Amino acid sequence: MGCGQSTDSAFSNRGSISSLKPYPQQSSVEDSGAAHGNGVGPEPVVDRETVEEYLQTEREIGEARRADPQVLSQLEMKTEALDKMTQKVERLEREYGDLQALAKDGDQSDTKKALVAIKRGARASTAEEERVAGCNNKEIAKQARDEAVRQKENIQKEVDQLQSKAARLQNLYTKQDALLSKIFGGEYGSDLENKLEEELDALEAQKARIMEANFKWRQAQMMMEFACRQLAVAVQKWQDLPDIPDTSLEVRYTMAAEARNNLVAASQNIEGAHRYLSNVEFPYCNPDEVDTLNKATSYVFTDMQSEERHSHAGQCYEITHKRAAALLQWFDQVLTTTIMEDLAQVNKRVKETSLALRQERIRLIKLKAKEIWGADVDVDIDAGVSADDEDLNAMMMQGVSDSEVAKTEETADGPRAKTPPPLTAEEMAPMPSNEAIFGLSYEQFKEDLDNMREQHETEVDHFMRGQERQADKIRGDLEAKLNARRRNRAMRNLEERQKRELAAGAAVS
């Protein structure tokens, strides 16, 4: 019937946003009819104005979907990203505050001042190393905090824009269902329409699952692209550092600071990729490797003071760069060989089913109009724009933005820099499972919901039987008391009657 079925479905792509209100049509259809149980529904209304309004609504839905494909699911994912970034900002604020509190006697010196106390070639004392590292860590924490605040503000802007677009599309879907309910009297127009709508709901759910995976992997891919560029810059700066004369302390410090800033940004971007793909086990740049990079970054300004430490730190940065490039190549392969192919297939099926559903609805509208008016009605089936006539390439990049990417001046607009040689097919880590890529499948999700429903029904049934047993016991106890009371009353009545009879007999005698 199109009057609420697709939006009420637990797996419908339309109703996936928990922050939006439920569709009014869901309750109105049930109330109006009621109907579904007793065959009494509202009287169908098929006039030219209603048909034209329905076709106009389809056009508006198509235009909205083409302008912002998957806007509802994008809002959900961006809202989740905003929540995570808010938590990250709060954590970084605490960490930065703790580091500031550790400064002794109000020492506000920066890394450059701390470096002046260490002579080139002389082995720094542990206290001197820790002072430089402490100043550096405080600057790193501030850089990370400021970057996270900037990203949170960017995500908030995206969420605000998506909320407006999603609300409009949600309202159009509600209007579409209300018009179909009006045209078909709250019932399905045909078994075929019912079947096609259920099939479209299933396909839309599958497409939404793939689109969600596509968004997360492409967002992680973008972050790794920036991380690779930043690591390339950091490695180059670090390699050039020994060529700077010891007397040029300002230049040496600036170059080391640039290397550090790129290392910090690269680490943030790798962590961002982990955040988006939290259910995926990374074959390269796992959390332990990132932690090692962060520790090495803490001692950048100490490591620059000796050839041995400089060389050791440089090896760490180079290895991380190579493994980051391998991870980016791994992401590219997952997107190309799995996600893009699956998305193309499901999108084709969604288009075909959506068109078939439109054709069936228009056919039913024509039949209903002829039934009421007694004449054929000319309805142009192409008057509405298909809601699923979306450009695949544009769809694949939907929602992906650099709003959550940590940037540095050297990598803002440059191409991917000095990427290490790609791995061969034999060297590449195995591809992740479909469950790791997409999460629970639609079929698994539906099975889980069915199991939850069955478990709920079993628990309710068990509870009701327990209540009945308790009620039976209470009724039984009460019945026993009543029976005992009746027997006692009967015995007393019998005794009274016997006494009266004995008294009457004694009086006669």
Side-chain angles (χ1 to χ4, degrees):
M1 92 193 134
C3 55
Q5 180 71 15
S6 60
T7 54
D8 293 347
S9 169
F11 314 105
S12 171
N13 190 38
R14 300 183 192 173
S16 61
I17 309 303
S18 57
S19 61
L20 296 177
K21 295 181 179 179
Y23 293 93
Q25 188 61 22
Q26 179 176 352
S27 58
S28 64
V29 171
E30 293 171 353
D31 295 342
S32 72
H36 296 283
N38 55 27
V40 180
E43 187 69 23
V45 177
V46 185
D47 52 37
R48 190 171 300 278
E49 181 181 352
T50 302
V51 173
E52 289 177 351
E53 187 177 6
Y54 169 76
L55 293 175
Q56 176 60 27
T57 302
E58 278 226 335
R59 279 193 291 271
E60 292 177 9
I61 290 175
E63 291 166 359
R65 284 285 298 274
R66 194 166 56 253
D68 295 284
Q70 305 299 315
V71 63
L72 298 178
S73 58
Q74 289 299 324
L75 173 58
E76 189 170 23
M77 287 183 283
K78 287 293 184 180
T79 302
E80 179 183 353
L82 179 60
D83 291 339
K84 290 182 178 179
M85 189 56 65
T86 300
Q87 296 172 8
K88 181 178 179 179
V89 169
E90 293 172 352
R91 174 176 60 81
L92 293 176
E93 287 279 11
R94 290 193 300 269
E95 292 177 359
Y96 180 55
D98 292 342
L99 288 172
Q100 283 185 309
L102 287 176
K104 297 180 180 179
D105 301 326
D107 181 13
Q108 298 297 320
S109 64
D110 57 19
T111 307
K112 188 188 299 185
K113 293 178 181 177
L115 276 173
V116 173
I118 304 177
K119 294 181 179 179
R120 171 68 176 169
R123 181 175 179 82
S125 67
T126 302
E128 288 174 325
E129 288 183 356
E130 291 304 319
R131 182 167 182 245
V132 172
C135 292
N136 187 35
N137 285 335
K138 189 165 62 174
E139 293 172 3
I140 290 173
K142 184 177 185 302
Q143 178 184 343
R145 188 276 312 270
D146 293 346
E147 178 62 29
V149 170
R150 184 190 68 81
Q151 292 176 14
K152 178 186 173 183
E153 292 173 351
N154 289 339
I155 301 172
Q156 183 65 66
K157 292 177 182 177
E158 291 183 335
V159 168
D160 292 342
Q161 293 173 353
L162 286 169
Q163 282 180 332
S164 176
K165 295 175 181 178
R168 179 175 179 271
L169 182 59
Q170 195 95 320
N171 290 334
L172 286 171
Y173 278 135
T174 302
K175 182 179 180 180
Q176 179 192 49
D177 287 335
L179 289 169
L180 287 168
S181 178
K182 184 178 179 182
I183 292 170
F184 295 114
E187 297 291 342
Y188 278 99
S190 69
D191 291 339
L192 177 59
E193 188 206 7
N194 188 6
K195 176 179 177 299
L196 287 171
E197 192 169 63
E198 289 179 352
E199 182 179 348
L200 183 59
D201 273 345
L203 289 171
E204 286 279 16
Q206 185 180 4
K207 178 180 176 180
R209 178 171 62 89
I210 297 173
M211 284 295 296
E212 179 179 358
N214 175 77
F215 166 75
K216 290 181 177 180
W217 282 83
R218 289 195 179 278
Q219 192 69 54
Q221 179 193 45
M222 175 180 285
M223 290 177 167
M224 287 308 304
E225 286 179 346
F226 273 84
C228 285
R229 297 180 205 167
Q230 289 154 348
L231 287 167
V233 172
V235 168
Q236 187 62 53
K237 297 284 185 184
W238 194 250
Q239 290 174 347
D240 293 342
L241 192 59
D243 297 334
I244 308 300
D246 296 347
T247 54
S248 301
L249 179 60
E250 183 74 25
V251 178
R252 287 175 58 80
Y253 169 79
T254 299
M255 185 168 290
E258 290 173 349
R260 176 200 64 185
N261 293 343
N262 279 279
L263 291 171
V264 171
S267 175
Q268 287 181 302
N269 286 324
I270 297 172
E271 289 174 351
H274 278 279
R275 186 171 64 251
Y276 266 101
L277 302 176
S278 57
N279 62 319
V280 178
E281 184 175 349
F282 284 24
Y284 315 100
C285 297
N286 60 44
D288 289 339
E289 294 178 53
V290 176
D291 186 54
T292 299
L293 176 65
N294 291 338
K295 289 178 180 178
T297 306
S298 298
Y299 290 93
V300 161
F301 294 102
T302 304
D303 292 339
M304 66 183 281
Q305 300 301 314
S306 73
E307 293 181 4
E308 181 181 357
R309 294 187 61 159
H310 178 275
S311 176
H312 180 74
Q315 291 177 6
C316 174
Y317 305 149
E318 289 179 23
I319 291 173
T320 303
H321 184 208
K322 290 178 181 178
R323 293 182 67 79
L327 182 60
L328 178 56
Q329 184 181 348
W330 193 70
F331 284 176
D332 292 343
Q333 188 168 341
V334 170
L335 284 161
T336 302
T337 62
T338 303
I339 294 178
M340 287 179 64
E341 291 183 1
D342 287 7
L343 181 58
Q345 292 174 6
V346 74
N347 194 56
K348 180 181 178 182
R349 293 180 60 193
V350 166
K351 285 183 178 181
E352 293 171 350
T353 307
S354 178
L355 178 60
L357 179 59
R358 284 190 63 246
Q359 291 173 333
E360 176 65 6
R361 283 176 173 168
I362 295 297
R363 185 185 71 84
L364 293 169
I365 290 173
K366 289 181 177 181
L367 289 176
K368 184 65 68 175
K370 184 175 182 180
E371 175 186 328
I372 296 176
W373 297 348
D376 291 330
V377 178
D378 182 21
V379 179
D380 183 6
I381 194 168
D382 296 322
V385 180
S386 174
D388 298 285
D389 189 18
E390 306 167 34
D391 179 74
L392 190 60
N393 291 325
M395 188 193 314
M396 288 187 297
M397 299 306 298
Q398 178 68 19
V400 180
S401 71
D402 60 358
S403 61
E404 296 178 65
V405 173
K407 299 179 181 179
T408 53
E409 293 181 2
E410 295 84 357
T411 61
D413 301 310
R416 195 182 296 180
K418 296 185 180 179
T419 302
L423 300 180
T424 65
E426 293 74 20
E427 294 171 328
M428 179 67 64
M431 290 295 96
S433 65
N434 281 343
E435 184 171 334
I437 296 174
F438 298 112
L440 288 177
S441 69
Y442 171 76
E443 291 76 14
Q444 290 172 316
F445 180 45
K446 186 176 186 302
E447 182 180 351
D448 288 345
L449 285 180
D450 290 340
N451 291 337
M452 290 172 60
R453 177 182 54 77
E454 291 176 3
Q455 181 181 358
H456 174 71
E457 291 176 351
T458 300
E459 291 174 352
V460 170
D461 184 60
H462 178 74
F463 173 77
M464 294 303 297
R465 285 202 303 270
Q467 290 293 97
E468 290 176 0
R469 287 194 298 269
Q470 184 68 17
D472 290 342
K473 184 177 182 302
I474 294 174
R475 284 194 296 269
D477 293 344
L478 179 60
E479 189 67 26
K481 291 178 181 179
L482 290 174
N483 288 338
R485 188 176 301 170
R486 293 191 191 99
R487 287 195 297 272
N488 292 336
R489 187 163 56 247
M491 290 296 295
R492 287 196 300 272
N493 291 338
L494 179 60
E495 290 175 0
E496 290 294 333
R497 189 168 62 254
Q498 289 175 344
K499 287 179 182 179
R500 288 195 299 271
E501 290 176 353
L502 289 173
V508 170
S509 61

